Structure formats: structure tokens, C-alpha cells
Amino acid sequence: MNATSLLTASARTHPARPASAREAGSPAAGSAVPAPPASGDIAADEFRSAMASLAAPVTVVTCYDATGAARGLTASAVSSLSLDPPLLLVCLDRNSRTHDVLVSAEAFALHLLGPENEALAKRFAGPTDQRFENVPLASGPTSHHAPQLADCALRLTCTRYEVIEAGDHSILVGRVTASDCLGRPAGGLVWHHRGFAHARPAEVPA
């Protein structure tokens, strides 16, 4: 997953540019010389490779669309933002087919996943029309705001607080209105070096 939003964005494979493309000699006469980025930005593949070293939580974000259908996706660019008021953010790739639905929804649910939820994370990074297929949903006082996945360690229900446009992503800021914990450790599934990893609390010296 990524410095971008979902598992799908970071899981794409991008071959490294050959050295000859970076270190070629002078171009032939009359050929166009590409101008270096005016801002001095590093190349996209170099940035992507660097961000692969940044472990990120694996989550599933869900909402209802305008027709009341459940929608959702896997996201790893997620962070707490504020304590007062309680805010969190999710970064969403604008090319995602679920982007417009999520940024338009009045409410959404963020599901923190554990190591046992790898299959769930893969499902919500797959074909959009199959994401909720045979996935059990929980019922309760917050389920009418956003779909609640039954098999996850922790669910946070949020109302849309703000949407900020940033490069090729949108930053969806949510105000947390409810927390549903299933009584087991949460957040142990992370995305690191383009693959799943399992996090556990560090042992405290006696």
C-alpha cells in the first residue's frame, strides 16, 4: 500500500527505468532534450520505492452510495489527525472507481484490520462489484450511517468533515462519531515493501 491511498495503488508494479535512460550521453542532433522538473521533484518511481519502506496500516473504508448500495475499498494512507475534535484522514486516489462515492458520502466507516484479515483486504482491493460478496455485515446503531464489516477488530464511524485536493489524491477528513471494538487487538496488519506484514506490540522490559 502506499503513500497513496489503497492497497491497489501501491501494489501496482512499475519496472525501474534502465540506467541508460538516466545516464545516456548527449542526444543526437535535432532531438528534443527533456527539461528537468522545474520544482526539482524526484522521479515518481524513485519516490514510490522510498515510500515502500514506510509501513502503513491496512484498513477498509466503506460507505453507502446515493442509491443506498454498499461501497468500499482497501486503504493504507490513513492517519489520526486531531484529538479535539477527533479527526482522521484517508488519502484516496482520484483514479479509483470508489473515489467519487467516498468523497461525496455524508458518513463512512474505517475498519482497522488484523493479521487474520488479509483475505478481506485483498477482496476490497479487487473488482468493485465483488467486494461485498459473501462478506458478513454487522447490524447496530451505526450501521445505517455506513456499512459495518463484521469480521474486523475495530470499526470507526465518521462523518465527512472536509475534503482537501492534494496532487493526484483527495484527502478525506472524517470526524469520528463512534468506535466499535470487538475485544481483540487491532491494527496488526500493515503494508510494507509491497507486501503484507504483521505488527505486534514491542515487548516491555521487565
Side-chain angles (χ1 to χ4, degrees):
M1 277 184 273
N2 49 61
T4 71
S5 58
L6 304 161
L7 179 60
T8 49
S10 61
R12 300 179 190 130
T13 55
H14 299 264
R17 292 187 300 168
S20 60
R22 301 189 299 269
E23 301 167 1
S26 301
S31 62
V33 179
S39 62
D41 294 342
I42 66 173
D45 57 350
E46 184 179 356
F47 180 62
R48 185 179 296 107
S49 179
M51 290 299 96
S53 297
L54 181 63
V58 180
T59 71
V60 170
V61 187
T62 61
C63 70
Y64 293 117
D65 65 16
T67 68
R71 302 288 297 274
L73 48 69
T74 302
S76 63
V78 175
S79 176
S80 60
L81 180 60
S82 168
L83 185 61
D84 185 18
L87 303 177
L88 57 79
L89 63 82
V90 182
C91 298
L92 303 171
D93 188 339
R94 292 186 194 169
N95 290 323
S96 166
R97 295 178 63 182
T98 315
H99 170 277
D100 292 352
V101 174
L102 275 169
V103 299
S104 301
E106 293 295 326
F108 63 92
L110 179 73
H111 302 78
L112 280 75
L113 306 184
E116 71 279 6
N117 296 130
E118 282 192 23
L120 192 63
K122 291 176 182 177
R123 172 176 287 275
F124 277 85
T128 55
D129 59 348
Q130 299 175 18
R131 291 179 181 175
F132 285 90
E133 190 174 287
N134 298 320
V135 173
L137 300 179
S139 59
T142 58
S143 61
H144 66 280
H145 295 295
Q148 309 283 322
L149 306 185
D151 186 24
C152 68
L154 178 67
R155 298 186 292 263
L156 299 173
T157 302
C158 308
T159 57
R160 188 183 69 237
Y161 185 82
E162 187 176 5
V163 177
I164 303 167
E165 302 305 324
D168 55 10
H169 279 61
S170 296
I171 303 172
L172 173 61
V173 180
R175 186 164 185 159
V176 182
T177 59
S179 172
D180 300 303
C181 181
L182 300 189
R184 63 178 189 260
L189 185 62
V190 298
W191 188 252
H192 192 219
H193 286 297
R194 300 185 176 92
F196 288 114
H198 298 167
R200 59 183 179 84
E203 294 183 4
V204 180

